[in-house]
Amino acid sequence: MNVSKQEMPGSLVEITVEETPEFVSEALDKAYRRLVKRVDVPGWRRGKAPRHILERYVGRRALCEEAERYAVPELYEKAAQELGLDVVGEPEFKEITLEPGQPLRFRAVVPVRPKAQPGDYRSLAIPFPEVSVSRDEVEEGVKRARESVAHLDILPEDQPLKEGDYARVHVKGLEGGEVSVELDRDFDLVEVGSREHPLIPGLARALVGMKKGESREFTGRYLVRAKKPEEQSQIQPAGGAIEDGTKSAASKSEGRARGTGAENPERSGEGVTAEPETRTVEARFQVVVLEAYSKHMPTDEEFLRHMGKPSMEEVEKDVESFIKSQKLERAWRSHTEKVEDALLEKGSVELPDVMIENRTRTLLDDFLRDLEKMGVKPEDYLRRTGLTWETIVSDLKERAERQLKLELILDAIAENEGIQADEEQVNAVVSGIAKDTGRDEVTVKTTLEMRGVMDEVRRELTRSKTLRKIALEAAERAGKPVPEAIVKPQADEDKGSGEVGGSQGSSETVRAEEQGSSRAAGEQIGQESGQGGRSAGTEDRAEPGQMALNNKE
């Protein structure tokens, strides 16, 4: 087989293939054996007609086309492998010539993974943000930690709910008009008073003065933002930030490895004045109090005992350490995002359309899966947000281009710098998958290798390692280096504690791990007290400072 290639604009390669007449003869024989089993030739049982009879019946061209259908793709695969092409899409075959006694010739144009030009990345100078913890933040952290030790007591049936109490309720939508009120469900623990419920405006205030078993109707107020004539009006719970509809939830959820995810279209707040182009509409609901609770805050002695600390000063130190670790992690993410933006500005790469289309399709699939996990139908999401599929797909396409460009630039830098993923990290990924699937590591690794997935795993780990190196050097060059509290955990991660969260865009964010007493303090701030029961706080919004239910029936 004679093979040659010619590079073309747009990361395309044209392959020219020529094979011998002997190969054509064998291909025609195979084509005959396949066709004779499928074609009914008059006067012959299926599969028994001689070749010259079959060829006379179906025509020589049909036999040649059958040979082409199998021979051309087979030769193309061999040629692409022989040339070492990193193919990213399907080939387009041209000028196929297959005739008896003649060589087989054809050309194939195929998109390949492009090579990026990373630009002058070694000159990047981006200072690491200053991180500090104020006294107010420490006091607020201690307050939330104290809340985690609080518990709820069941109120007597004749005692009305007051601000700061909690209730388990059932809410049913009665009348909505322009607002969909298809609601008939329990809400576990709702805080009573001015802190509005995130899903149903008016609910928290309506509970003030109610007792267990009581029923009450109340009004929820929503803002409707006027939109362009060709678009539908957009409804939001009154008090919530009103989306302008120009960006989809898919584009605003770039935090899961900037992966795609749907934001909750029902989130709301309270107390925001309607903008000039808005109006208020109302919906009616009914609430029944199923159980009422009062909150019991711990004494200093109870709090210290729960925290396992001898004094409030020690608690404050742990809380300050935890808050600082969280701020450092956010600062690291912000820093790496600035480095990514700089790399994208300095680097250049020409992406084949097929790569963008494939990545966009993957992001859209992720987006739809997120909606499904939330129990939201796509058509309901569009209705609630006022978005269109065109807007969502356009945003996803932009994200796909960004992801791909960044990945290819990082690949080029890794090649320049000789950076490779550590085998310990690769094994850690395999171990994690094996644990999740309940299979042994050897089987998992073998399966992933056979499917070509391990190559992508190594690429993602290499990209993460490369981005970290560039980010550390950029901060050092700017005279504001990354703190050791971030550097060391990341170094440990390189030795095997990290993991790859999917094959799309995981190079965009490098996570820092929390260490030592900071981790312990964080667990104390966010955990339940373990006194047996339920956490107090608004339904569907878990926060640090939740309380355990002390059921004293």
Side-chain angles (χ1 to χ4, degrees):
M1 180 175 67
N2 295 322
V3 179
S4 63
K5 72 173 182 178
Q6 180 179 353
E7 295 185 359
M8 303 172 62
S11 297
L12 299 175
V13 171
E14 182 180 79
I15 305 173
T16 301
V17 178
E18 180 177 324
E19 213 11 310
T20 63
E22 290 76 19
F23 177 88
V24 172
S25 178
E26 293 177 7
L28 290 170
D29 284 341
K30 292 177 182 178
Y32 157 70
R33 289 194 291 272
R34 286 191 298 268
L35 272 178
V36 77
K37 295 177 182 178
R38 302 200 309 264
V39 177
D40 291 321
V41 180
W44 297 85
R45 285 185 298 171
R46 180 177 290 190
K48 298 299 183 181
R51 175 173 167 175
H52 69 281
I53 298 294
L54 176 70
E55 188 172 331
R56 187 187 308 159
Y57 181 69
V58 300
R60 175 177 292 181
R61 186 65 246 164
L63 189 65
C64 291
E65 288 176 355
E66 178 70 14
E68 289 173 9
R69 188 176 295 113
Y70 289 87
V72 171
E74 177 186 337
L75 291 177
Y76 157 75
E77 292 288 348
K78 290 180 179 179
Q81 186 173 2
E82 181 178 321
L83 294 170
L85 301 181
D86 192 351
V87 175
V88 296
E90 295 298 320
E92 178 186 355
F93 295 111
K94 297 181 177 181
E95 300 176 9
I96 301 173
T97 302
L98 190 154
E99 294 292 341
Q102 299 293 322
L104 168 60
R105 299 184 182 92
F106 68 88
R107 293 187 298 123
V109 178
V110 59
V112 296
R113 186 179 297 275
K115 291 284 187 180
Q117 300 298 322
D120 186 17
Y121 61 89
R122 293 189 179 97
S123 67
L124 288 181
I126 301 174
F128 192 82
E130 294 286 346
V131 173
S132 62
V133 181
S134 69
R135 179 63 190 171
D136 288 345
E137 289 174 314
V138 173
E139 290 177 355
E140 178 63 23
V142 172
K143 179 182 177 182
R144 293 167 74 88
R146 188 183 288 271
E147 288 275 355
S148 73
V149 187
H151 63 266
L152 300 181
D153 296 322
I154 295 177
L155 283 174
E157 294 189 6
D158 60 347
Q159 185 171 332
L161 289 162
K162 64 181 184 304
E163 177 122 6
D165 288 339
Y166 286 81
R168 183 166 60 86
V169 301
H170 183 88
V171 180
K172 182 178 180 180
L174 299 177
E175 183 179 357
E178 296 180 52
V179 181
S180 174
V181 290
E182 297 176 1
L183 182 68
D184 191 3
R185 56 169 283 197
D186 291 349
F187 289 87
D188 201 14
L189 290 171
V190 178
E191 185 175 354
V192 178
S194 59
R195 183 180 179 182
E196 196 51 88
H197 191 272
L199 303 181
I200 309 172
L203 172 59
R205 289 192 176 96
L207 292 172
V208 175
M210 294 185 68
K211 300 176 184 178
K212 179 180 178 179
E214 282 191 359
S215 172
R216 177 179 291 178
E217 293 186 9
F218 66 96
T219 300
R221 292 178 173 80
Y222 296 80
L223 296 180
V224 178
R225 184 183 189 117
K227 303 197 76 176
K228 296 178 182 179
E230 67 272 14
E231 297 177 333
Q232 63 184 22
S233 295
Q234 184 172 354
I235 299 173
Q236 291 279 335
I242 302 177
E243 306 292 355
D244 63 10
T246 59
K247 287 194 175 183
S248 70
S251 70
K252 289 180 286 185
S253 59
E254 279 191 15
R256 198 186 52 199
R258 289 196 194 177
T260 309
E263 291 187 348
N264 191 335
E266 298 179 303
R267 302 291 289 183
S268 70
E270 187 66 10
V272 176
T273 303
E275 297 181 9
E277 298 182 358
T278 64
R279 56 191 174 85
T280 302
V281 296
E282 296 182 348
R284 295 290 296 170
F285 298 90
Q286 180 189 59
V287 59
V288 178
V289 177
L290 305 177
E291 193 62 83
Y293 308 96
S294 64
K295 181 170 65 175
H296 170 77
M297 293 297 294
T299 64
D300 286 351
E301 183 180 351
E302 290 172 334
F303 179 53
L304 291 173
R305 183 167 61 249
H306 180 84
M307 298 295 289
K309 298 295 179 182
S311 66
M312 289 300 299
E313 288 76 14
E314 291 297 317
V315 172
E316 291 174 355
K317 286 181 182 179
D318 269 9
V319 169
E320 181 178 9
S321 179
F322 173 74
I323 294 173
K324 188 172 184 179
S325 74
Q326 296 296 293
K327 284 192 166 188
L328 283 171
E329 183 178 353
R330 289 193 294 270
W332 172 252
R333 286 201 295 271
S334 174
H335 179 65
T336 56
E337 286 170 6
K338 290 177 182 177
V339 171
E340 292 169 0
D341 291 340
L343 290 175
L344 287 167
E345 184 177 343
K346 287 182 174 291
S348 62
V349 60
E350 191 174 9
L351 293 172
D353 290 340
V354 66
M355 288 186 73
I356 300 173
E357 292 168 4
N358 291 341
R359 180 62 61 87
T360 302
R361 190 176 300 111
T362 298
L363 294 177
L364 181 59
D365 289 343
D366 291 343
F367 174 69
L368 293 174
R369 273 195 296 270
D370 286 341
L371 286 180
E372 184 178 4
K373 289 177 183 176
M374 291 165 53
V376 178
K377 295 180 179 179
E379 58 269 24
D380 290 339
Y381 178 80
L382 296 178
R383 176 176 55 80
R384 292 173 183 176
T385 61
L387 300 174
T388 64
W389 280 122
E390 290 75 14
T391 302
I392 292 174
V393 172
S394 176
D395 288 346
L396 292 176
K397 184 177 180 180
E398 289 181 13
R399 290 192 45 232
E401 289 189 58
R402 175 188 167 89
Q403 285 184 359
L404 290 166
K405 286 181 179 178
L406 181 61
E407 290 171 5
L408 292 168
I409 289 170
L410 289 171
D411 289 345
I413 295 174
E415 185 176 350
N416 290 348
E417 302 291 329
I419 301 173
Q420 293 182 343
D422 296 321
E423 200 60 29
E424 292 87 348
Q425 274 192 298
V426 176
N427 292 334
V429 173
V430 173
S431 297
I433 296 173
K435 184 177 180 181
D436 290 342
T437 59
R439 302 166 68 186
D440 66 274
E441 295 182 15
V442 174
T443 300
V444 169
K445 191 166 186 177
T446 301
T447 302
L448 295 179
E449 292 282 10
M450 289 176 60
R451 295 177 179 175
V453 177
M454 287 305 298
D455 289 339
E456 189 59 32
V457 169
R458 291 186 176 93
R459 277 199 192 105
E460 289 297 334
L461 291 171
T462 300
R463 290 167 187 156
S464 179
K465 188 174 180 180
T466 303
L467 178 59
R468 185 176 79 87
K469 180 178 186 296
I470 300 302
L472 292 175
E473 292 176 351
E476 191 77 34
R477 205 173 286 118
K480 294 280 184 147
V482 178
E484 186 67 21
I486 289 290
V487 175
K488 187 178 185 305
Q490 288 299 312
D492 293 340
E493 185 174 299
D494 280 349
K495 294 178 181 177
S497 61
E499 61 181 39
V500 175
S503 63
Q504 308 297 340
S506 67
S507 62
E508 294 183 3
T509 304
V510 183
R511 300 285 185 179
E513 293 188 350
E514 300 146 10
Q515 295 292 305
S517 62
S518 297
R519 185 195 298 266
E523 292 172 351
Q524 291 293 344
I525 291 174
Q527 72 181 2
E528 299 176 4
S529 68
Q531 293 183 24
R534 319 281 292 278
S535 61
T538 53
E539 178 84 356
D540 301 329
R541 183 179 58 189
E543 293 183 349
Q546 294 183 337
M547 295 158 287
L549 169 62
N550 183 11
N551 193 330
K552 294 185 177 180
E553 292 183 296

